[in-house]
Amino acid sequence: MNFKSYLQYFEAILDDPNPSAPYDNPDYFNYTKLNWSRMNRWLKHGVLSPEIKKVIADIQAPQEWIIITEPWCGDAAHIVPFLHMITLLNPLIKVDYELRDSEPFRINSYLTNGGKSIPKLIVRNEAGKDLVTWGPRPASCQKIYDKLKEEKADFETMKIELQKWYNKDEGKETLKELSALLK
């Protein structure tokens, strides 16, 4: 699906008076509502670095970007908007958004430490060969996540700490890592 279709899918979940699983769980649904707000905030106020703009402008051959995501994913709410803004910079980038929990289940080929962590970016050349994979979150954010997981922090604590990190970072680490990978 394209980004517009992804947004429509996302919004349809929020507008559905009887959403299907996992959104029928009030905790999932409410977190997804927060993710909608977070994502829209970054779409309005997110700023791309000069470095990522140059790296993307320098792309001379067609690429296919596959972004695996889900509306319930907190990390995706902070990262997908930046990925979207980046893809708009070069018409040679064709983008396909895929849901982790729906066919074609491509995530099964791109596991992170054995898990289906998202968002996941896959960049391919014209021949369909993977050039770059990235995700689910910037390395410095991953360190916080790993530390909290090691400490057996509850989900609420993890959500709050990661949210603080993303708000303070403003997408800078994501853009820095992507710039280095895409050069």
Side-chain angles (χ1 to χ4, degrees):
M1 73 179 78
N2 61 27
F3 189 67
K4 182 178 179 185
S5 298
Y6 177 65
L7 290 179
Q8 290 170 338
Y9 171 78
F10 202 138
E11 200 164 25
I13 291 166
L14 300 176
D15 292 341
D16 190 340
N18 298 302
S20 59
Y23 305 103
D24 57 342
N25 175 323
D27 291 334
Y28 262 91
F29 186 80
N30 291 328
Y31 193 58
T32 302
K33 280 192 340 189
L34 278 174
N35 289 341
W36 177 258
S37 296
R38 291 170 177 148
M39 189 172 70
N40 280 291
R41 182 188 63 196
W42 291 124
L43 288 170
K44 289 178 188 167
H45 303 292
V47 177
L48 297 180
S49 66
E51 183 181 17
I52 194 74
K53 288 179 183 179
K54 180 176 179 352
V55 168
I56 298 302
D58 288 346
I59 293 172
Q60 299 295 311
Q63 292 183 350
E64 177 187 16
W65 286 29
I66 301 164
I67 299 168
I68 304 174
T69 186
E70 284 285 348
W72 51 257
C73 178
D75 293 291
H78 294 283
I79 294 169
V80 168
F82 287 98
L83 295 175
H84 170 68
M85 289 186 285
I86 291 167
T87 64
L88 296 176
L89 298 175
N90 191 321
L92 292 172
I93 299 172
K94 178 186 159 243
V95 187
D96 185 31
Y97 290 81
E98 293 182 3
L99 300 174
R100 185 195 85 165
D101 299 331
S102 298
E103 289 185 8
F105 302 108
R106 191 181 314 266
I107 193 66
N108 292 330
S109 298
Y110 296 92
L111 302 178
T112 303
N113 299 322
K116 297 179 181 183
S117 301
I118 55 173
K120 184 70 78 169
L121 169 66
I122 304 155
V123 178
R124 293 183 169 168
N125 66 13
E126 289 179 273
K129 179 181 181 277
D130 289 359
L131 301 173
V132 169
T133 61
W134 182 89
R137 61 185 65 88
S140 52
C141 184
Q142 185 66 43
K143 285 179 186 172
I144 294 168
Y145 176 86
D146 291 343
K147 181 177 181 280
L148 291 167
K149 195 171 178 183
E150 185 181 303
E151 294 170 353
K152 298 184 181 357
D154 61 39
F155 183 63
E156 193 64 27
T157 301
M158 291 184 88
K159 283 189 322 189
I160 291 168
E161 291 306 310
L162 294 179
Q163 174 68 23
K164 285 181 194 175
W165 186 91
Y166 280 113
N167 285 343
K168 183 178 178 188
D169 178 69
E170 298 178 325
K172 291 178 181 86
E173 287 296 316
T174 298
L175 298 174
K176 183 177 171 187
E177 288 184 16
L178 290 173
S179 293
L181 281 172
L182 296 167
K183 281 186 180 177

